[in-house]
Amino acid sequence: MTTVAPSRVVLSDLGPIAQLRTGRLARRLLQLYAGLLLYGFSISLMVRAHLGLAPWDVLHSGLTRHFPIDIGQALVIVSFVVMLAWIPLREIPGIGTISNALVIGLSTDAFLSVLPTPHLLAVRATLLVSGIGLQGVATAAYIGAQLGRGPRDGLMTGLARRTGRSLRLVRTGMELTVVVGGLLLGGVAGLGTLAYAVAIGPLSQLLLPTLVIAPGSVRDVDTGVT
């Protein structure tokens, strides 16, 4: 019996200026912002499902119970707080980093303002599954645009580089920490949180090769994303 090793996704390790000066910029910007808007929409679907949120959104929802802010506003605030941790880690933000912090949060609140709250469990389950699936597409889209890591992605890669731990271990530790913190604040967790944790990695891995846009004549660095 023969096995085929999974293909490795090669992403370009570019600084913020180089990200904008390399080719296919219009297409990459379009994919970036489409992915970020879709990400906000996917969060709103999971919020309306009331079956549990993604780990970071458990934290965001917990913050809304203690401060006069909506979940999208909490997302924006937490994103910029996380970016402060980039300073000692020497991570450099790009246009995609700032856009990630702003567009996802603002679009989440915008979509929530027009999406109704369903009562039937079947409808809520459909929203949950759709939200997780669309978030997988959105994640692959904004990463594939190669215009800078999101705030939480940069924290993960920076911690992994500084500690020598694997990305998987660092990400797991981060998400467990924010879930616990969110629960202590009264955040919304449930079966959807577990479903998200199980599904989002494989979904993003499956979709990323299709959505990676090579930015042009640059030196590619194998990041080890598989």
Side-chain angles (χ1 to χ4, degrees), residues 92-166:
I92 302 176
I95 184 174
T97 309
I98 306 301
S99 297
N100 185 296
L102 293 172
V103 175
I104 294 178
L106 296 177
S107 63
T108 295
D109 284 343
F111 286 122
L112 283 172
S113 70
V114 297
L115 281 176
T117 300
H119 299 288
L120 292 177
L121 180 58
V123 177
R124 293 163 56 203
T126 300
L127 292 183
L128 173 66
V129 172
S130 299
I132 294 173
L134 291 176
Q135 197 160 133
V137 176
T139 300
Y142 86 72
I143 291 176
Q146 307 210 62
L147 284 164
R149 300 180 181 94
R152 295 151 187 79
D153 300 325
L155 179 62
M156 174 186 67
T157 56
L159 287 173
R161 186 179 64 252
R162 281 301 185 92
T163 63
R165 304 295 184 180
S166 68

Side-chain angles (χ1 to χ4, degrees), residues 24-185:
R24 303 174 185 173
L25 181 59
R27 179 184 170 189
R28 290 161 55 219
L29 284 171
L30 178 62
Q31 180 169 307
L32 169 68
Y33 288 107
L36 296 179
L37 287 171
L38 185 60
Y39 204 108
F41 180 60
S42 70
I43 292 175
S44 69
L45 291 179
M46 293 184 67
V47 170
R48 287 292 182 249
H50 289 285
L51 291 171
L53 300 175
W56 281 93
D57 294 324
V58 175
L59 175 62
H60 302 148
S61 65
L63 289 172
T64 65
R65 294 180 177 271
H66 299 272
F67 300 96
I69 54 177
D70 297 322
I71 189 169
Q73 295 170 327
L75 189 154
V76 173
I77 293 169
V78 170
S79 294
F80 281 100
V81 171
V82 166
M83 286 172 60
L84 292 176
W86 283 34
I87 298 173
L89 295 174
R90 297 182 180 177
E91 291 286 314
I92 302 176
I95 184 174
T97 309
I98 306 301
S99 297
N100 185 296
L102 293 172
V103 175
I104 294 178
L106 296 177
S107 63
T108 295
D109 284 343
F111 286 122
L112 283 172
S113 70
V114 297
L115 281 176
T117 300
H119 299 288
L120 292 177
L121 180 58
V123 177
R124 293 163 56 203
T126 300
L127 292 183
L128 173 66
V129 172
S130 299
I132 294 173
L134 291 176
Q135 197 160 133
V137 176
T139 300
Y142 86 72
I143 291 176
Q146 307 210 62
L147 284 164
R149 300 180 181 94
R152 295 151 187 79
D153 300 325
L155 179 62
M156 174 186 67
T157 56
L159 287 173
R161 186 179 64 252
R162 281 301 185 92
T163 63
R165 304 295 184 180
S166 68
L167 288 174
R168 181 177 300 177
L169 180 62
V170 171
R171 175 165 180 166
T172 299
M174 285 172 52
E175 297 199 345
L176 286 173
T177 299
V178 296
V179 165
V180 171
L183 288 174
L184 291 174
L185 291 171

